[in-house]
Amino acid sequence: MAENYREFNPGNNPENGQSTQGPKWTSGNGGSTYGKIAAIVATLLVLGVLAMESVYSIGEQEQGVVTTFGHAGSVVTSGLHFKIPFVQKVTKVNTTILGFPIGYRSGGDDSASQEQIDDESLMITSDFNFVNVDFYVEYKVSDPVKYLYSSRQPKEILKNIAQSCIRNIISNYVVDDVITTGKSKIQAEIKEMIIEKLEEQDIGLMLVNISMQDAEPPTEAVIEAFKAVETAKQGKETAINNANKYRNEKIPEASAKADQITQDAEAAKQERVNEGIAQAARFNEMYAEYEKNPLLTKQRMFYEAMEEVLPGVKLIIDDGSGDLNKTLYLDELQLEDITGDRPAVSSEDTSTQEEE
């Protein structure tokens, strides 16, 4: 490295006229060494600052918008990235699902600390009744560039759109539907309208969900009346369900009984038909025998009738021979052995016999 020095030559002084060259005087190396160290340190600091400014990271639930000289460029996702220091700037955007309430403000995790905001919650229904309705809106960033540069306050724009749509839909329903039965339908219509408005505004936000937290009249007396109405409706539904349950239990039982009665009737019918057929066949057989031998058939029929009228009675049959000791039970009587005219028949107890 070149050394800095200062030369002094008294021989060149024109006053003394001498040309003798004198000794040279030089400065030391300490000052130049300190300057070198300072320059190296400054260079390292500059390089370190440049390195820190050129490297950045994006989280998993974030996206980054890179701007060059103030103009939005690319959108980067999670990971480690590089940029040109002092030329490019990165703005991080949270892409998780966020939310805000409408109609109330929560003081913390405790729901009892919620504060009602009448300016947001108080609405009028189609039947000119007032009602307090609370909503919770969930949204997320769909386009980071439009979210950052299309509007100054996209969240406030979304909130104003949601309040406008809520009031528009609530005004189409009667108060009874808003408080009791129409909540699901109201939420669906409000969500559809907000999505349509956001597409028109194109502010880089998308609606995830909107839910009705609570709906009640503004006075305690009306609140109690609507609670009574809701209780009555629930009681009505319970009674209907119980009636349907009873009907569903009894109808199969009655159907089973009806089927059983029908089957019994069919069985009785078939039995009577079979019995009639048997009696007709028996009559035909008896008539055929009667045509062969009318007298014996008459006697047999007479004995069978007596057996049915006087069961267990002994009979004395007079065959004309004058012998009355012959006593026969009807089931022991052999009609084919009897000849002659119709015999006389009399009953006898255990001690006496009577002749007929």
Side-chain angles (χ1 to χ4, degrees), residues 17-211:
Q18 296 178 358
S19 59
T20 304
Q21 187 172 359
K24 296 181 180 180
W25 299 85
T26 60
S27 61
N29 297 327
S32 62
T33 303
Y34 291 142
K36 294 175 184 179
I37 295 174
I40 293 172
V41 172
T43 303
L44 292 176
L45 289 176
V46 172
L47 292 176
V49 171
L50 292 176
M52 293 179 61
E53 288 293 328
S54 62
V55 178
Y56 64 95
S57 63
I58 302 296
E60 293 183 359
Q61 301 296 331
E62 294 178 334
Q63 287 184 341
V65 178
V66 181
T67 57
T68 304
F69 295 112
H71 295 281
S74 61
V75 177
V76 295
T77 56
S78 60
L80 191 65
H81 303 275
F82 298 91
K83 65 182 178 66
I84 302 174
F86 308 109
V87 175
Q88 292 181 323
K89 181 181 178 181
V90 178
T91 304
K92 297 180 180 180
V93 178
N94 186 0
T95 57
T96 58
I97 297 178
L98 305 174
F100 57 84
I102 296 178
Y104 69 97
R105 296 293 181 271
S106 179
D109 297 335
D110 187 6
S111 60
S113 63
Q114 291 181 354
E115 178 185 359
Q116 190 77 26
I117 309 299
D118 293 335
D119 292 340
E120 297 180 359
S121 64
L122 187 61
M123 304 178 192
I124 188 170
T125 58
S126 62
D127 54 352
F128 303 103
N129 284 303
F130 290 96
V131 62
N132 283 325
V133 187
D134 300 335
F135 286 87
Y136 189 80
V137 179
E138 294 177 301
Y139 69 96
K140 67 180 297 185
V141 177
S142 59
D143 190 328
V145 176
K146 293 180 180 179
Y147 171 75
L148 292 174
Y149 302 109
S150 293
S151 61
R152 288 187 177 180
Q153 296 178 326
K155 178 181 176 181
E156 291 300 322
I157 295 175
L158 173 60
K159 186 174 182 179
N160 292 334
I161 291 174
Q163 287 181 306
S164 175
C165 295
I166 289 171
R167 293 184 182 278
N168 192 356
I169 299 300
I170 292 294
S171 64
N172 296 330
Y173 288 85
V174 297
V175 64
D176 188 49
D177 292 338
V178 176
I179 295 178
T180 57
T181 59
K183 291 183 178 180
S184 299
K185 187 176 180 181
I186 291 172
Q187 289 178 176
E189 293 185 7
I190 292 174
K191 183 177 180 180
E192 182 179 356
M193 182 175 290
I194 293 176
I195 292 175
E196 182 179 352
K197 295 292 184 182
L198 283 177
E199 290 177 354
E200 294 177 359
Q201 297 295 326
D202 198 17
I203 57 176
L205 292 179
M206 64 174 293
L207 180 68
V208 176
N209 190 30
I210 180 168
S211 57

Side-chain angles (χ1 to χ4, degrees), residues 158-289:
L158 173 60
K159 186 174 182 179
N160 292 334
I161 291 174
Q163 287 181 306
S164 175
C165 295
I166 289 171
R167 293 184 182 278
N168 192 356
I169 299 300
I170 292 294
S171 64
N172 296 330
Y173 288 85
V174 297
V175 64
D176 188 49
D177 292 338
V178 176
I179 295 178
T180 57
T181 59
K183 291 183 178 180
S184 299
K185 187 176 180 181
I186 291 172
Q187 289 178 176
E189 293 185 7
I190 292 174
K191 183 177 180 180
E192 182 179 356
M193 182 175 290
I194 293 176
I195 292 175
E196 182 179 352
K197 295 292 184 182
L198 283 177
E199 290 177 354
E200 294 177 359
Q201 297 295 326
D202 198 17
I203 57 176
L205 292 179
M206 64 174 293
L207 180 68
V208 176
N209 190 30
I210 180 168
S211 57
M212 184 185 296
Q213 301 295 308
D214 195 10
E216 60 184 12
T219 61
E220 292 296 331
V222 180
I223 291 174
E224 294 300 325
F226 272 101
K227 287 182 179 179
V229 172
E230 185 65 20
T231 302
K233 288 183 177 180
Q234 293 178 359
K236 172 186 174 182
E237 294 296 329
T238 301
I240 292 174
N241 293 334
N242 291 336
N244 290 332
K245 179 181 178 181
Y246 179 79
R247 181 188 66 181
N248 294 333
E249 291 176 354
K250 292 300 180 180
I251 287 179
E253 181 179 351
S255 299
K257 289 183 178 179
D259 293 339
Q260 184 64 37
I261 292 173
T262 302
Q263 293 176 4
D264 293 343
E266 291 292 335
K269 169 187 173 183
Q270 190 64 36
E271 182 180 357
R272 295 296 297 273
V273 169
N274 294 336
E275 182 179 355
I277 294 174
Q279 289 180 355
R282 180 182 178 186
F283 177 81
N284 292 331
E285 292 177 358
M286 186 179 297
Y287 182 74
E289 294 296 329

